[in-house]
């Protein structure tokens, strides 16, 4: 079965959202090399929004994972959320968009 780039990006976004809301760690290793990433042809993402965290962490094991822009035919803001640390000294390294050729690549956040 063959999928287009937009379908693959949409499927990855759905998987990322599912993982984010499950409270589990998505990744414990650095992102894969650029050759394995999907490049989207889009205008540059807007500057990150300033998020005001109005609720306290559900527990001392939770850390705030900041929101970021996702591409769904247009830039849509995905708000930040609380996530449980995989171990007591874990730190979240936020994901970010990186310029790659004529497009943009999402570098996923991960625990270190």
């Amino acid at each position: 079965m063959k999928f287009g780039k937009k379908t693959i990006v949409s499927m990855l976004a759905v998987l990322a959202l599912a993982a984010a809301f499950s409270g589990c760690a998505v990744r414990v290793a650095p992102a894969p090399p650029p050759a394995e990433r999907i490049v989207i042809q889009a205008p540059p993402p807007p500057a990150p929004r300033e998020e005001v965290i109005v609720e306290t962490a559900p527990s001392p094991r939770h850390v705030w994972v900041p929101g970021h822009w996702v591409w769904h035919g247009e830039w849509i803001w995905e708000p930040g959320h609380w996530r449980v640390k995989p171990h007591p000294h874990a730190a979240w390294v936020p994901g970010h968009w990186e310029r790659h050729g004529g497009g943009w690549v999402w570098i996923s956040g991960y625990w270190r």
Side-chain angles (χ1 to χ4, degrees):
M1 188 176 299
K2 190 173 181 179
F3 295 105
K5 285 184 182 180
K6 285 186 179 181
T7 301
I8 293 170
V9 170
S10 295
M11 289 170 29
L12 290 173
V14 168
L15 289 172
L17 282 172
F21 288 107
S22 71
C24 66
V26 175
R27 179 183 298 191
V28 293
E36 298 176 23
R37 298 184 190 136
I38 297 171
V39 178
I40 62 165
Q41 302 301 317
R49 288 186 177 173
E50 185 174 326
E51 294 182 301
V52 178
I53 306 167
V54 294
E55 54 190 45
T56 58
S59 80
R61 299 178 323 149
H62 284 79
V63 296
W64 182 255
V65 174
H68 61 276
W69 292 103
V70 293
W71 179 255
H72 292 290
E74 65 179 334
W75 291 109
I76 298 173
W77 180 254
E78 183 174 305
H81 57 278
W82 294 104
R83 187 172 285 174
V84 177
K85 296 180 192 179
H87 58 82
H89 301 292
W92 180 253
V93 177
H96 63 280
W97 286 98
E98 195 172 275
R99 189 87 169 138
H100 185 75
W104 293 90
V105 173
W106 173 248
I107 310 299
S108 295
Y110 61 95
W111 293 104
R112 65 173 158 101

